[in-house]
Amino acid sequence: MTKEHTAATAVSTSRIDPSTLDVHVQGSGPALLLAHGAGGGILPNFGQVLDDLASDHTLVGPHYPGAGASPLPSNPLELDALVDAVVEAAVSRGHERFALLGESLGSAVSVRAAARHPDRVTGMVLTAGFAVADPVLSFASDLIVRFGREGEWDSAARVAIQSVLTEQDLSVLTAEALETAVGATREGMPPGMVDHFDLVRRVDVRGELARLSVPTLVVMPTGDRLVLPDSSRQLAEAIPGATLLEIPGGAHILGEQHRKLWLEHVREFLAQLP
C-alpha cells in the first residue's frame, strides 16, 4: 500500500475495541445508528441528510476500522466483531434502543445487528443492500482488493467510479471529467478500503433474514451498477413484512435529487416506529 493508505495505530485482534472507533454524534432525540458502506464513511454516505435527520434524532455514526479516524485492523474484519462494535458505539453513549440506517455493506451490518441484538433494534432502513455479494459485486470487490494490495490505487478508483455511477452519469462525462473523478475518488479512499471490500466478499446474512421481526424499509436504486437491484429485491422478499421502495434511476451512491426522495420516505418510515 502507498503511504497514505497506512496508519500507525491498528486494532490488535479480531475483536474491535469500540473505544478506538471514530464516531460521529449529532443532534438530539431518538437514536439513529448509521452503518456506512465499504470504502465509505459517515460524511460520504450520509452527509447530504445529516443535518435534517439530526433536527429530531440523535445520530450515532461509527466509522469502521480504516475509515474516518478509526485505526486500521491488523486482522481481516469479521462481521460479528464489526457489528458488536457498531452497536456498542450507541449503547456506550446511553442509547439502549435505536433504528439502523444501513447503506450497502452497512445493510448487512444492520441485518446481523438485528439478529444479534434484537432487543435493541427498533427498525431498519437498508439502502443499496445485499445479504450476500452478487456476481457483479463479487467481481468488483475482487478487483478493488487485488489492485489495492498491489498499490494500484488509480485502477481501484476506476473500478469504483464505473461501479457507483449510473450509465447515464458515465455517458455524459468527458475524458477530462472522468480523470478528475478518478483522482477525487482515489484521494477519498479510506485506508481500510481493501479491508472493507475483503469483508464484502465474505458476508452472508441470508440465514438471518427470515427470522427477523423488525420493521424494515428496503431502498432499491434501480440504476445501481455495484449492488444489482435484485439484491435489494431479494432482501425485501426474505425479511418478513419488509417494504420495498424503488428509487428510479438512482445510483449506488444517491445524488442530491434521489437522496431527497430517500429522505422523504425514510422520515415517513421513522415516524411510524415505536
Side-chain angles (χ1 to χ4, degrees):
M1 282 189 180
T2 56
K3 182 178 179 181
E4 62 267 27
H5 290 87
T6 62
T9 309
V11 180
S12 60
T13 68
S14 58
R15 177 186 177 275
I16 299 169
D17 181 354
S19 69
T20 67
L21 297 185
D22 173 23
V23 182
H24 178 98
V25 180
Q26 181 180 352
S28 61
L32 292 180
L33 182 55
L34 311 180
H36 67 75
I42 299 306
L43 286 177
N45 284 149
F46 301 102
Q48 297 178 50
V49 296
L50 289 177
D51 289 344
D52 188 291
L53 290 173
S55 66
D56 52 7
H57 289 83
T58 300
L59 309 183
V60 180
H63 290 86
Y64 305 159
S70 296
L72 279 164
S74 57
N75 297 306
L77 287 174
E78 297 296 338
L79 185 59
D80 285 353
L82 179 59
V83 164
D84 290 347
V86 166
V87 168
E88 183 59 24
V91 175
S92 65
R93 288 165 174 78
H95 305 291
E96 296 291 335
R97 287 169 59 78
F98 42 78
L100 270 158
L101 304 186
E103 301 252 341
S104 194
L105 173 60
S107 290
V109 170
S110 299
V111 167
R112 182 63 58 84
R116 285 175 68 82
H117 306 278
D119 293 337
R120 298 198 182 282
V121 180
T122 61
M124 297 189 297
V125 178
L126 311 178
T127 303
F130 58 94
V132 67
D134 60 53
V136 170
L137 178 57
S138 292
F139 183 70
S141 299
D142 286 342
L143 286 176
I144 289 171
V145 169
R146 181 185 309 172
F147 288 139
R149 287 176 174 169
E150 294 175 352
E152 298 289 342
W153 291 106
D154 274 359
S155 296
R158 292 180 190 281
V159 173
I161 282 290
Q162 182 173 331
S163 299
V164 302
L165 297 180
T166 64
E167 291 183 12
Q168 181 178 3
D169 292 333
L170 288 168
S171 68
V172 299
L173 284 178
T174 64
E176 182 179 0
L178 182 58
E179 289 305 313
T180 299
V182 168
T185 299
R186 182 182 64 247
E187 291 302 315
M189 286 179 174
M193 185 83 167
V194 166
D195 301 283
H196 298 173
F197 277 95
D198 177 57
L199 177 59
V200 166
R201 301 187 299 179
R202 296 180 281 111
V203 159
D204 189 345
V205 297
R206 289 174 292 182
E208 285 104 305
L209 301 179
R211 301 196 301 269
L212 297 179
S213 58
V214 58
T216 302
L217 175 65
V218 178
V219 183
M220 181 179 76
T222 65
D224 196 338
R225 291 159 50 88
L226 180 61
V227 177
L228 295 180
D230 272 351
S231 291
S232 290
R233 185 175 290 108
Q234 290 164 12
L235 275 176
E237 290 174 349
I239 299 173
T243 298
L244 178 65
L245 168 66
E246 294 190 13
I247 303 289
H252 185 70
I253 297 177
L254 296 175
E256 183 178 358
Q257 292 304 315
H258 291 131
R259 185 60 83 173
K260 286 181 179 179
L261 178 61
W262 177 95
L263 181 61
E264 176 185 337
H265 287 276
V266 167
R267 281 206 158 278
E268 290 178 1
F269 173 79
L270 293 175
Q272 298 171 10
L273 295 180

